[in-house]
Amino acid sequence: MDRLSSVLSAFRPKATSVTSLRFSHQRERLSLSSDSSYWLYLISGELTLTVQGNSRTELKEGDGAWLASGQNIDVFLADGGQFETSILICKFDFGTKALNPLLDLEWQWIKVEKVDDIAQQLLPLNTLLLAESLQPRCGSQVIVERLAEAYLVQMLRQFIQTQKIQLGLLAGLSDIRLARAIVAIHEHPQQAWQVASLAEEAGMSRSVFSGLFKKTMGMTPMAYLTSWRMRLAAQRIKSGDRNLAILSDQLGYQSEAAFRRTFKKVIGVAPGAIGR
């Protein structure tokens, strides 16, 4: 399995809405749910987005911004709102935020400018997405949602290939050496991995691997292994898999008691509380 699919096969994104908004006032508020992720694409005009007054980015026509987690954003129009300003908002559900490793970092946003190579790679899909969303026809809702999901996967792929993100899971997957170890964890979470065996997967010495992993991922290899196992467990429990003895064995735990203790420590609640 490739490095991005190893994540998305377990935590598959779903487009829940694709809408366009027009701004007419010099200052407006855009409220985006913290439980969802967003792609914002400026169709026309020019604006500045700010969060809590201390983080800002400027978008011109054709620019976009990826938000791993929504937040309240202040929107300031350029030139006092003299020109029409409209934005496409794609909303994605990755599942519970606490369970998805792609959403670990509280990114303010990742900006993609119109002239970026990433934007050029996304151009064909972007053209289709805009055409279907701005001029709805029979079946457009279904088409737009699927196009948005394909767009997101392509964008994440480009983030990895261009090393756009410097910290977290996507950063780890951007390093081909770390990616080999990360994918090994994703594909075989039940294996009794140790730092030495993961370093071997990466083709690195143990000390160099450990240092690079923590610097890039923001946690140690064993902490990530535990986190991945518990997130998989929570996903499966939510889907109706309630036999914890079997589940703990399949995820590499020698006892159900040890599994329960680790689950509560990582997820914050007991396994039985998931899905209630």
Side-chain angles (χ1 to χ4, degrees):
M1 190 179 298
D2 68 82
R3 46 188 167 170
L4 183 56
S5 295
S6 74
V7 181
L8 298 183
S9 61
F11 300 94
R12 186 179 298 274
K14 180 181 179 182
T16 54
S17 70
V18 179
T19 57
S20 60
L21 287 180
R22 289 185 179 181
F23 298 110
S24 56
H25 299 94
Q26 186 172 4
R27 178 177 179 176
E28 298 198 30
R29 171 61 67 93
L30 184 59
S31 296
L32 304 177
S33 171
S34 61
D35 291 327
S36 299
S37 298
Y38 295 86
W39 168 245
L40 309 179
Y41 176 83
L42 196 59
I43 301 170
S44 62
E46 185 175 342
L47 51 74
T48 299
L49 306 176
T50 67
V51 176
Q52 297 178 348
N54 57 16
S55 180
R56 55 182 288 156
T57 192
E58 296 180 357
L59 297 182
K60 298 180 180 180
E61 183 175 325
D63 294 344
W66 158 248
L67 285 75
S69 180
Q71 46 206 306
N72 292 323
I73 299 174
D74 289 316
V75 180
F76 298 89
L77 303 188
D79 300 316
Q82 297 179 33
F83 304 101
E84 178 180 295
T85 303
S86 59
I87 192 169
L88 184 74
I89 302 176
C90 300
K91 181 180 180 181
F92 300 97
D93 176 16
F94 275 89
T96 305
K97 178 181 176 182
L99 302 185
N100 195 318
L102 284 173
L103 311 185
D104 276 346
L105 292 180
E106 293 292 341
W107 301 320
Q108 294 298 320
W109 34 58
I110 299 172
K111 182 179 177 180
V112 178
E113 295 184 348
K114 184 178 181 179
V115 296
D116 286 351
D117 288 341
I118 292 177
Q120 297 305 308
Q121 292 293 325
L122 292 170
L123 187 57
L125 270 176
N126 189 64
T127 301
L128 288 173
L129 182 58
L130 287 174
E132 286 290 342
S133 61
L134 300 179
Q135 296 179 338
R137 292 167 287 175
C138 182
S140 281
Q141 181 177 351
V142 175
I143 293 174
V144 164
E145 290 175 355
R146 301 294 82 77
L147 282 172
E149 290 164 5
Y151 190 95
L152 175 62
V153 173
Q154 174 77 332
M155 182 168 60
L156 295 178
R157 175 196 290 172
Q158 291 299 316
F159 286 167
I160 290 173
Q161 292 179 348
T162 61
Q163 298 183 325
K164 183 78 170 178
I165 299 171
Q166 302 304 311
L167 181 66
L169 177 55
L170 289 176
L173 294 175
S174 299
D175 186 303
I176 191 63
R177 299 164 299 173
L178 294 181
R180 289 194 289 264
I182 295 168
V183 171
I185 289 174
H186 292 175
E187 292 186 338
H188 306 288
Q190 77 287 351
Q191 191 160 322
W193 293 110
Q194 298 296 327
V195 174
S197 56
L198 289 171
E200 185 177 351
E201 289 285 337
M204 304 170 68
S205 70
R206 174 174 175 162
S207 60
V208 174
F209 169 74
S210 294
L212 182 61
F213 194 102
K214 187 171 183 179
K215 178 182 177 182
T216 305
M217 296 284 287
M219 64 180 74
T220 66
M222 302 314 292
Y224 182 75
L225 170 63
T226 300
S227 174
W228 180 260
R229 285 172 168 173
M230 294 303 101
R231 283 166 156 163
L232 286 181
Q235 290 281 67
R236 290 178 57 175
I237 292 171
K238 284 181 63 179
S239 299
D241 190 346
R242 297 285 176 173
N243 191 321
L244 298 186
I246 294 177
L247 186 56
S248 61
D249 181 67
Q250 291 175 341
L251 290 175
Y253 286 85
Q254 295 182 348
S255 72
E256 182 180 336
F259 169 80
R260 285 179 177 274
R261 287 194 301 271
T262 305
F263 189 96
K264 186 170 184 179
K265 181 178 179 180
V266 174
I267 303 300
V269 297
I274 294 291
R276 288 180 181 175

